[in-house]
Amino acid sequence: MIRKVLIANRGEIAVRIIAACREAGLATVAIHSEADREALHVRLADESVCIGPPYAKESYLNITSIIAAAEITGADAVHPGYGFLSENAQFAEVVQECGLTWIGPPPGAIRLMGDKATARRTVAARGVPVLPGSPEPLQTREQAVELAHSIGFPVILKASAGGGGKGMRVAHDARELRHAFDTARHEAERAFGVPDVYLEKYLTQPRHIEIQVIADRFGKVVALGERECSIQRRHQKLIEEAPSPVITPELRKAMGDAAAAAAKAVGYESAGTVEFLFQDGQFYFMEMNTRIQVEHPVTELVTGVDLVLEQLRVAQGERLSVTRTPKLSGHAMEFRINAEDPETFAPSPGTVSFLALPGGPGVRLDTHLYRGYRIPPYYDSLIAKLIVYGSDRQEVLRRARRALSMFVVEGIKTTIPLHLKILEDGDFKAGNLSTRFMDRFLSSR
Ligand code: MV4
């Protein structure tokens, strides 16, 4: 049994994990950098350990220091949150080798899904739809050109070791593809140390729709419906919602079955997300995220399942508390609020001099902000997630306008005004979304 959980993260997700631990009756250990001494997760945890200097490389990514903190405090489990070391298979292995419980998927599943070409091949072998493309990384330019001619342009090259949009190149003809092949390999080598790239048919106007799954070590995998995540800028999501305005019960069932098959193919355990591209009524596997995600609250609100509590249960060898896909109820939308200039997206660290938080019917706020908090410049700029719930999408939009307009943060710039403008957009209001939405929205300002 777990008694004390070390949270290998910071910010709002560290606070969210402390909340689940407290509900489960587990003690908590916060780790923090020198820049995070005054952080809320440090204040709220039962104990805390400073693990190093401000730069993440020397603190939140420092495996040796984190393991030492677990040993010093007698923690018996580690929750990695998202980002940082959450999808580092080696960290998961070290945690387990030190006799600690890893609150996450098996290292082997992390490693396999981390190699995007292998992930694609593995799930395709279990009948999960993938776009036409290369099962193995491509060895030569001419191999790429030949394949592209057989599946038809446009095509996209993706780094096998990549994900989240890094090292991608689109080509509309053979000449572009030859050039893209060299630059994509070069970029992949530089970013990930591995030059391997694979090729897929390119979809021009897809939606990004993902399925939340949760799995226990008895081989039970439950799909918890979809999240529509098409509102993104530079591969950073801004708004997510559930259910998707375009997913029918039949599609939800088919996507849930496909996501569960993908999870089973790698012996998955814990919470995970299977990402799909969706266009013209068809869905295609894109990649699997082997972590709890930023947008998990959207699913919690429409399913009633506490995903972090489920992670704690299954990590202790217990069975899932949900045994089948629940009926989705109502509608939820998450607005990611960043400490950034809403026009230029330049980071805006600094001290929060005044703070008024929204509440009321249908509002959940996941945040580590407090009045007087100094937002450090070293980490990502997410400062709050406003998650709005209602009986249908229209009610959520009304509640979102109300809650965003009653959210006052002074001393720094935030993206709250940007969200209020998106809420006025005709396509957004109508649910006409695609991964192209933000390009169009920003260029028409
Ligand atoms: C694609 C695609 C179109 N066709 N693959 C972006 C992140 C990475 N995981 C894969 N991505 C894409 N893959 C094919 N075959 C378009 C994207 C894409 C995208 C996907 C989801 C959300 C936003 C996006 C923005 C640009 C491109």
Side-chain angles (χ1 to χ4, degrees), residues 212-386:
Q212 176 72 54
V213 298
I214 180 91
D216 65 22
R217 70 181 58 159
F218 304 96
K220 182 93 189 163
V221 181
V222 176
L224 294 172
E226 79 281 6
R227 293 184 290 257
E228 160 98 47
C229 306
S230 296
I231 308 298
Q232 314 200 351
R233 179 186 164 272
R234 299 196 180 166
H235 305 295
Q236 291 287 338
K237 294 166 187 163
L238 298 176
I239 301 173
E240 307 94 347
E241 66 179 296
S244 164
V246 293
I247 298 299
T248 60
E250 294 71 34
L251 270 167
R252 181 168 302 119
K253 170 80 167 68
M255 292 177 83
D257 288 348
K264 283 186 181 149
V266 299
Y268 205 78
E269 184 188 316
S270 196
T273 299
V274 182
E275 297 186 338
F276 295 97
L277 291 171
F278 181 88
Q279 189 175 296
D280 306 321
Q282 305 283 333
F283 62 89
Y284 309 93
F285 175 83
M286 186 160 51
E287 48 192 74
M288 181 168 188
N289 299 321
T290 55
R291 60 171 189 272
I292 190 81
Q293 283 189 279
V294 176
E295 60 270 30
H296 76 275
V298 160
T299 298
E300 294 186 323
L301 291 179
V302 296
T303 62
V305 175
D306 184 321
L307 286 164
V308 182
L309 269 183
E310 291 298 317
Q311 285 190 301
L312 296 174
R313 284 178 69 94
V314 300
Q316 302 186 81
E318 292 172 38
R319 288 180 189 276
L320 290 172
S321 77
V322 271
T323 51
R324 50 193 297 274
T325 301
K327 209 179 115 47
L328 302 190
S329 132
H331 201 96
M333 213 176 264
E334 174 179 277
F335 300 83
R336 294 193 190 188
I337 294 159
N338 290 345
E340 287 172 1
D341 183 310
E343 304 276 339
T344 65
F345 300 98
S348 178
T351 300
V352 176
S353 55
F354 178 88
L355 185 63
L357 301 177
V363 170
R364 165 174 168 180
L365 197 63
D366 281 20
T367 184
H368 57 293
L369 285 191
Y370 57 83
R371 187 175 67 84
Y373 175 54
R374 187 154 47 84
I375 298 163
Y378 307 100
Y379 314 106
D380 87 20
S381 58
L382 183 75
I383 51 169
K385 305 187 306 202
L386 174 69

Side-chain angles (χ1 to χ4, degrees), residues 131 156 158 165 200-203 208 232 277 286-287 435:
L131 281 157
I156 182 168
K158 298 182 178 181
E200 266 180 10
K201 176 89 185 162
Y202 179 65
L203 296 180
H208 173 142
Q232 314 200 351
L277 291 171
M286 186 160 51
E287 48 192 74
T435 54

Side-chain angles (χ1 to χ4, degrees), residues 129-179:
V130 297
L131 281 157
S134 58
E136 304 281 343
L138 298 159
Q139 297 309 314
T140 66
R141 295 163 101 192
E142 293 318 308
Q143 203 185 350
V145 171
E146 195 183 319
L147 181 62
H149 277 304
S150 82
I151 66 181
F153 286 95
V155 296
I156 182 168
L157 291 165
K158 298 182 178 181
S160 295
K166 263 186 244 139
M168 295 186 346
R169 276 285 181 289
V170 178
H172 298 86
D173 55 44
R175 195 190 57 83
E176 262 186 22
L177 180 56
R178 288 193 180 90
H179 183 250

Side-chain angles (χ1 to χ4, degrees), residues 1 78 80 103 121 167-168 187 220 250 258 274 297 299 350 388 422:
M1 285 298 275
V78 174
I103 304 170
R121 203 165 358 99
M168 295 186 346
E187 242 181 62
K220 182 93 189 163
E250 294 71 34
V274 182
T299 298
V388 180
I422 294 174

